[in-house]
Amino acid sequence: MKVIICGAGQVGYGIAERLSQEDNDVSVIDTSASLVAHITETLDVRGYVGHGAHPDMLAKAGADDADMIIAVTLYDEVNIVACEVAHALFNVPTKIARIRAQNYMRPEYADLFSREHISIDVTISPEIEVGKMVLRRISFPGATDIVRFAEDHIAMVAIECMEDCPVLNTPLHQLSQLFPDLMATVTAIYRNGRLHVAQSNDQLLVGDLAYVICQRDHTRRTLGLFGHDEQEAGRIVIAGGGNIGQYVARTIEKMQPRTRIKIIESDRERAVAISERLKSTIVLHGSALDQAILQQADIQEADLMVTLTNNDQINILGAAMAKRMGCRSTMALINNPGFQELATGVGIDAHINPRAVTISRVLQHVRKGRILSVYAVQKGMAEVIEAEALETSPLVGRPFRDLDLPPGLRIGAIYRDKAVIRPNGETRIKAKDRVVMFATADAVRVVEQMFRVSIQYF
């Protein structure tokens, strides 16, 4: 696939890195010569210094025969115009734009990005996507990661196995026998830096990270089975009142009005504006690294501190300080993958990588076949994929025990007629089923073929 990426910042770099690893033909455009030099020196991509919305630059990058343009610069208007030019002059089939300003995304303007108006196929709002991720993690505090599939009926939950985990040293096939009505399947295990698809005889050990695919309504029970019965936070302090912080606070105010929220914002004008927009949230002007401000926010009595500024160092140090001052749990937004292990080392309970969230959205549209959703885990080592089974798929009609699945693939759940099915040896996939599976990077191409429309179908 030939792809043009406008923007070589953190998001653009992450997308280029992933697509180039999969042998796609990638060209990157950015006005910063240093960013273009860095991305071409470290990745197998072509780089062009210039304005991504200018026709001559798109032509140099090969827009005449490009399959996709992904515009992820810091400026919404540049992203919008780049997609428009790619459509009008070069007829690029798929156009994806990063949109940060929430005014563009309001429900009353839902028709704005359509072929009749602005021809953009997919809009990605990283702030909203990350905000939703933060809210899911707040709702399920025992989960290291959680994503929903199949119209929110199926969840993928990453669960850390602690010393008090009740299911340690138990073969996974016994879990199905002990809890026959639990709609949950352990699909993969991350251990000592290595990720492998789970087999029925595998056992969980202390320190493992288990990737479980389950019916959404069984998520809390699944967490409890693994020894995680943490209570949902009732008192939350948020550092950073940008788009993400405001989205999280506003949603909690609406959905959980009894939760007490305080926001720490370093910019005085923004702090005043936030206090006027939000109803019950208390807004404090100051730095999340100021102990006096943290004390003013009653951090020692808080159940959760969420650091959502645009500075990784502030997020990490602010969360670490909060934990040391008595906050029960902390969560930090971390853009730089190199800081993620550091965050764990200083006692931060959870972190969120916004780049991974955005890359997952892009991969959904890069993947061939009837792929409906994609979520990348462990820096691209694997993906959780939701796909629709077609009549011509080799999976349809055969019992699971007779399927010749690759070693890097495990099916976790099936969604059919508004019901979730936990697969066993006798299960047969039907056409139009939604299949949620865990696939290592090596198995992704096989998954695409399994859910691709065959020529015989026509």
Side-chain angles (χ1 to χ4, degrees):
M1 179 178 288
K2 188 168 185 177
V3 182
I4 297 174
I5 300 174
C6 298
Q10 290 185 344
V11 173
Y13 185 96
I15 295 170
E17 181 180 38
R18 187 61 185 276
L19 295 184
S20 63
Q21 288 172 351
E22 299 181 1
D23 298 325
N24 292 289
D25 185 346
V26 180
S27 298
V28 181
I29 305 172
D30 199 287
T31 55
S32 169
S34 60
L35 287 178
V36 171
H38 174 66
I39 202 168
T40 53
E41 289 170 1
T42 55
L43 303 179
D44 183 18
V45 302
R46 288 186 298 275
Y48 301 88
V49 179
H51 199 293
H54 289 177
D56 59 330
M57 290 308 305
L58 289 172
K60 286 181 182 178
D64 282 320
D65 56 351
D67 300 295
M68 177 182 295
I69 181 170
I70 305 171
V72 288
T73 75
L74 293 175
Y75 306 102
D76 293 350
E77 289 71 24
V78 172
N79 298 336
I80 292 170
V81 174
C83 289
E84 277 284 272
V85 173
H87 171 73
L89 297 183
F90 303 102
N91 199 27
V92 177
T94 304
K95 300 157 287 293
I96 300 176
R98 175 189 188 184
I99 304 295
R100 303 180 70 193
Q102 300 308 299
N103 284 336
Y104 284 122
M105 310 301 290
R106 289 166 62 175
E108 57 264 40
Y109 305 138
D111 293 336
L112 178 61
F113 301 108
S114 64
R115 291 195 176 275
E116 292 75 22
H117 300 103
I118 299 177
S119 187
I120 297 177
D121 301 290
V122 182
T123 58
I124 297 176
S125 174
E127 288 81 2
I128 291 180
E129 296 296 328
V130 172
K132 290 178 179 178
M133 177 66 72
V134 171
L135 290 167
R136 287 195 295 267
R137 299 280 283 275
I138 291 174
S139 297
F140 299 95
T144 301
D145 203 354
I146 180 167
V147 189
R148 292 177 179 172
F149 299 91
E151 300 174 356
D152 282 354
H153 291 279
I154 294 173
M156 185 286 295
V157 191
I159 311 172
E160 185 176 0
C161 298
M162 312 298 284
E163 290 184 356
D164 58 351
C165 176
V167 295
L168 292 176
N169 305 312
T170 304
L172 296 181
H173 67 84
Q174 288 189 15
L175 297 182
S176 301
Q177 299 168 4
L178 293 170
F179 307 97
D181 61 335
L182 180 65
M183 293 293 184
T185 302
V186 178
T187 55
I189 301 170
Y190 183 72
R191 177 184 300 161
N192 298 326
R194 299 185 64 183
L195 182 71
H196 72 274
V197 167
Q199 304 298 323
S200 59
N201 291 322
D202 285 345
Q203 300 182 24
L204 295 170
L205 306 178
V206 174
D208 284 355
L209 188 65
Y211 287 91
V212 185
I213 294 177
C214 64
Q215 183 174 323
R216 192 196 69 172
D217 294 342
H218 289 201
T219 304
R220 292 194 189 281
R221 186 182 169 196
T222 301
L223 287 167
L225 175 65
F226 280 76
H228 288 277
D229 55 359
E230 294 90 338
Q231 296 299 309
E232 196 168 338
R235 291 166 294 188
I236 301 174
V237 178
I238 299 173
N243 287 337
I244 301 174
Q246 290 184 58
Y247 177 83
V248 170
R250 186 167 55 248
T251 305
I252 293 176
E253 280 187 346
K254 181 179 178 181
M255 305 301 294
Q256 299 169 291
R258 293 185 180 181
T259 301
R260 290 185 284 177
I261 313 167
K262 296 178 181 177
I263 291 181
I264 300 173
E265 170 54 47
S266 60
D267 184 275
R268 184 176 183 82
E269 290 185 7
R270 179 178 287 177
V272 172
I274 295 169
S275 65
E276 293 174 350
R277 294 187 194 121
L278 298 174
K279 297 178 180 179
S280 58
T281 299
I282 296 174
V283 182
L284 303 174
H285 170 235
S287 170
L289 302 182
D290 186 337
Q291 290 192 24
I293 290 293
L294 291 174
Q295 289 174 347
Q296 190 177 345
D298 297 321
I299 198 67
Q300 68 279 1
E301 298 177 2
D303 298 311
L304 176 65
M305 168 76 155
V306 187
T307 51
L308 300 173
T309 77
N310 58 6
N311 186 301
D312 284 354
Q313 290 90 329
I314 291 176
N315 291 342
I316 293 171
L317 291 174
M321 287 178 61
K323 192 69 177 287
R324 179 166 292 186
M325 293 175 67
C327 183
R328 185 166 61 86
S329 183
T330 56
M331 185 188 309
L333 184 71
I334 303 176
N335 286 279
N336 188 336
F339 289 156
Q340 292 172 12
E341 291 185 9
L342 171 65
T344 304
V346 297
I348 295 174
D349 298 290
H351 69 266
I352 290 178
N353 182 356
R355 191 166 70 172
V357 175
T358 305
I359 292 171
S360 294
R361 281 292 312 277
V362 171
L363 288 176
Q364 175 181 334
H365 302 281
V366 172
R367 295 284 170 255
K368 300 177 179 66
R370 290 290 296 163
I371 307 297
L372 305 179
S373 298
V374 172
Y375 184 72
V377 301
Q378 294 298 337
K379 301 177 184 178
M381 287 186 185
E383 295 174 12
V384 185
I385 300 174
E386 175 191 351
E388 181 184 354
L390 300 171
E391 291 182 12
T392 53
S393 170
L395 300 177
V396 170
R398 299 167 60 192
F400 262 50
R401 60 169 45 93
D402 294 339
L403 294 178
D404 186 21
L405 299 177
L409 175 64
R410 185 171 173 90
I411 296 174
I414 299 167
Y415 183 63
R416 177 191 303 159
D417 298 331
K418 298 184 178 180
V420 176
I421 300 170
R422 184 182 68 181
N424 56 44
E426 298 298 327
T427 305
R428 298 172 188 260
I429 294 175
K430 297 182 178 180
K432 298 185 178 180
D433 281 355
R434 291 192 178 190
V435 183
V436 181
M437 69 209 89
F438 192 100
T440 60
D442 295 338
V444 168
R445 292 290 180 231
V446 179
V447 173
E448 289 181 320
Q449 292 299 323
M450 286 179 174
F451 292 91
R452 203 167 184 174
V453 178
S454 171
I455 192 68
Q456 287 86 1
Y457 186 73
F458 300 98

